[in-house]
Amino acid sequence: MKHKMKLFLAAAALLGAATAAQADGVFRPGALWPDDKGVHINAHGGGILEHDGVYYWFGEHKVSGTAGNVAQVGVHVYSSRNLTDWKDEGIALAVTDDPASDIVRDAIIERPKVIRNPKTGKFVMWFHLELKGKRYDAARSGVAVADKVTGPYVYLGSFRPDAGAWPVDVKPEDKDPATSFLARDFAGGQMARDMTLFVDDDGKAWQFYASEENHTMHVSRLTDDYLRSAGQYARVKQNGDDEAPAVFKHGGKYYLVTSGLTGWAPNAAKSYVADDILGPWRALGNPVRGTPEQQKITFGGQSTYALTLRRNGCTRHILMLDVWRKEDAIDGRYVWLPIEWEDGKPVVRWRDQWTLADMDKLPCDGPGD
């Protein structure tokens, strides 16, 4: 009995230490990030929603090994008031064992993002969906809704966005289905893989998604209820080979961070700016500042979301990156870094650890929006 008690106390001490690892309000990029139960946070490819003063982190729930690269559980959600200490709120959207469902176990559910519709009061989740056993051929957008921010979310269905619509920047040669992926997919809707959502100051919501066989990023307006694509869209950079979008607004301009196309392996990040969300978008280059190796592989990570905070009269942003572990998906890590400004361009630098107070000391590139 005494031996068991010692083991229990030792385990409790380890759990307490793990939980306390983030209790001091410190971000430690790339480190294990324990939740309130002492378990590494399981919200990969995720995004943040702030609601009533609380932050909610939605992401892919992974399992160990390569089996975690497809959906075995669903979308996990956590809550926090300070962005470092996270409470496990459970599974927001669960997979099913119904073989007739799009979100049956072993389908692919990636990069879930949640926004709240001010008119309907519904919380709306979008994600990249691939059908079970079809590899990455489906390239669809999945949508689910909930009355409560943490769910449970009810799956509504999936589709390819912007069916029967041309982008605002379409060229005559783009309408030839023999040479254009855009024209090939015109009737059935555009391919939609890596994605994120962005709600503008006017309440309009937009989806950024990798399309045209992953070669061209689209930005597409959602309907007023946020449940479908509205058929108004543009391309960020035709044949730019961009995925992993993270978008934010600063000083009235729109900024976008993406990655290149190297599968699970990290590559050099890219950044863009536009005065209008529908473009034209202008390339700003690699936003990573550091050693050549850090710039080449973006600190080993890939962008997933840009979180905007308004603090002390400044608009601040945090770039969220995933470090993927293909062979053991559950061990994927998170790299969050404050966005700085250099010659009017957003940049990120490696930090072994940092706090929100450290971010507040950075130069403010103009007043808060």
Side-chain angles (χ1 to χ4, degrees):
M1 180 64 71
K2 289 183 178 179
H3 178 65
K4 290 184 178 179
M5 179 58 71
K6 287 182 179 178
L7 288 176
F8 173 78
L9 292 174
L14 285 173
L15 177 61
T19 304
Q22 292 292 341
D24 51 2
V26 177
F27 296 92
R28 295 178 174 86
L32 287 172
W33 196 340
D35 63 13
D36 61 316
K37 300 175 182 176
V39 178
H40 181 50
I41 291 170
N42 201 337
H44 310 268
I48 306 290
L49 171 68
E50 189 276 329
H51 178 64
D52 288 344
V54 179
Y55 298 96
Y56 295 90
W57 181 359
F58 297 85
E60 307 161 29
H61 181 104
K62 301 289 190 182
V63 300
S64 60
T66 57
N69 296 322
V70 295
Q72 303 292 338
V73 178
V75 176
H76 212 133
V77 58
Y78 298 81
S79 65
S80 175
R81 289 187 177 275
N82 65 359
L83 295 175
T84 58
D85 303 294
W86 292 91
K87 177 184 177 183
D88 184 355
E89 298 283 0
I91 302 302
L93 176 69
V95 299
T96 177
D97 290 318
D98 179 2
S101 172
D102 290 348
I103 58 169
V104 65
R105 196 180 313 275
D106 289 330
I108 294 175
I109 296 173
E110 294 182 338
R111 299 181 179 269
K113 305 295 185 290
V114 174
I115 53 180
R116 182 181 181 274
N117 188 283
K119 296 180 180 179
T120 66
K122 299 283 188 181
F123 295 92
V124 184
M125 176 188 295
W126 283 60
F127 52 90
H128 165 214
L129 173 73
E130 297 291 348
L131 303 177
K132 179 181 178 179
K134 302 295 184 181
R135 301 176 63 182
Y136 279 82
D137 295 334
R140 299 174 73 83
S141 293
V143 179
V145 298
D147 294 320
K148 182 182 176 183
V149 61
T150 54
Y153 283 74
V154 176
Y155 177 65
L156 298 183
S158 70
F159 55 90
R160 283 190 169 185
D162 300 309
W166 295 112
V168 297
D169 53 357
V170 68
K171 306 180 186 70
E173 58 269 25
D174 296 332
K175 296 185 177 182
D176 182 358
T179 58
S180 167
F181 296 129
L182 186 78
R184 181 198 66 183
D185 297 331
F186 174 78
Q190 299 300 317
M191 303 179 78
R193 290 183 178 143
D194 281 10
M195 56 77 62
T196 194
L197 298 178
F198 174 77
V199 180
D200 210 342
D201 302 327
D202 59 5
K204 290 182 180 178
W206 301 81
Q207 182 193 23
F208 286 72
Y209 60 90
S211 193
E212 301 179 47
E213 299 289 355
N214 267 28
H215 294 300
T216 301
M217 182 72 62
H218 289 190
V219 49
S220 169
R221 186 169 65 85
L222 306 188
T223 52
D224 288 346
D225 59 9
Y226 298 174
L227 300 181
R228 301 284 297 187
S229 56
Q232 180 188 24
Y233 69 109
R235 292 173 291 181
V236 172
K237 181 180 180 182
Q238 192 168 357
N239 297 317
D241 290 345
D242 293 289
E243 63 178 11
V247 62
F248 61 99
K249 190 175 184 179
H250 192 100
K253 295 180 182 293
Y254 302 88
Y255 294 89
L256 175 67
V257 177
T258 69
S259 80
L261 310 180
T262 53
W264 296 101
N267 55 57
K270 311 174 198 178
S271 61
Y272 299 89
V273 65
D275 293 323
D276 187 292
I277 199 165
L278 288 170
W281 290 81
R282 178 170 59 88
L284 296 177
N286 190 336
V288 173
R289 297 294 181 267
T291 68
E293 182 65 15
Q294 288 174 330
Q295 292 183 309
K296 182 180 178 181
I297 62 170
T298 313
F299 312 117
Q302 185 185 40
S303 47
T304 184
Y305 193 75
L307 173 62
T308 294
L309 305 173
R310 289 174 175 83
R311 298 171 57 85
N312 304 321
C314 244
T315 301
R316 305 285 189 179
H317 314 277
I318 298 172
L319 182 62
M320 297 167 50
L321 307 166
D322 283 285
V323 178
W324 301 110
R325 300 286 172 86
K326 181 182 178 182
E327 301 305 318
D328 191 17
I330 199 171
D331 191 39
R333 305 298 177 89
Y334 312 104
V335 172
W336 291 20
L337 294 168
I339 292 176
E340 306 176 45
W341 296 92
E342 184 179 273
D343 298 325
K345 300 178 181 180
V347 299
V348 288
R349 294 180 171 85
W350 179 259
R351 295 166 181 262
D352 291 329
Q353 62 180 45
W354 62 280
T355 67
L356 293 178
D358 294 330
M359 184 174 70
D360 288 340
K361 297 174 185 177
L362 296 172
C364 183
D365 187 62
D369 291 346

